[in-house]
Amino acid sequence: MLIYIYLIVGNILLQKIIRISEATYNQIILVWGNLIFYFVLGILLTIPFFLSETKKEGNWMINYKCLLAFILPLFAVVFLYFYPILLDLSYVLGHVINALSVVAGYSLIFIVSKK
């Protein structure tokens, strides 16, 4: 239910951000709005895993292998969107980056777990 509410409210906010970016010719507002929206969506998808981890006994640990092997390259690819040479591919690359930001938000929670 929370994800549906987030999708509805988030899409309304993204439509307003699109109107603002079109009126001001400032596309960076739209890019950051999309990145944040899809990143938070990825985090919301992992709420059941995080709640099950909080019920376990033990200490919280960080999985550094997952951090280095998965998350940092995703962030690097997401921020490649801002590289000026890739402006010709911005439409296709924008959808790929939105998907990668969902994956980055989703995998961010799996870095921290209890052992």
Side-chain angles (χ1 to χ4, degrees), residues 3 5 12-14 18 23 25-27 50 56 58 63 66-67 71 90 97 100 102 104:
I3 293 175
I5 293 170
I12 292 169
L13 290 174
L14 281 177
I18 288 171
Y25 300 106
N26 189 359
Q27 294 296 314
F50 187 72
K56 291 181 182 178
N63 187 354
C66 181
L67 178 69
I71 297 295
S90 64
I97 295 210
L100 286 176
V102 171

Side-chain angles (χ1 to χ4, degrees), residues 16 18 23-24 35 48 63-64 78 92 94 100-101 113:
K16 289 184 181 189
I18 288 171
T24 62
L35 287 177
N63 187 354
Y64 292 106
V78 168
V92 174
L100 286 176
S101 61
S113 63

Side-chain angles (χ1 to χ4, degrees), residues 35-52:
L35 287 177
I36 292 169
F37 173 75
Y38 288 110
F39 186 77
V40 171
L41 178 63
I43 291 174
L44 286 177
L45 291 173
T46 59
I47 287 176
F49 170 77
F50 187 72
L51 291 177
S52 69

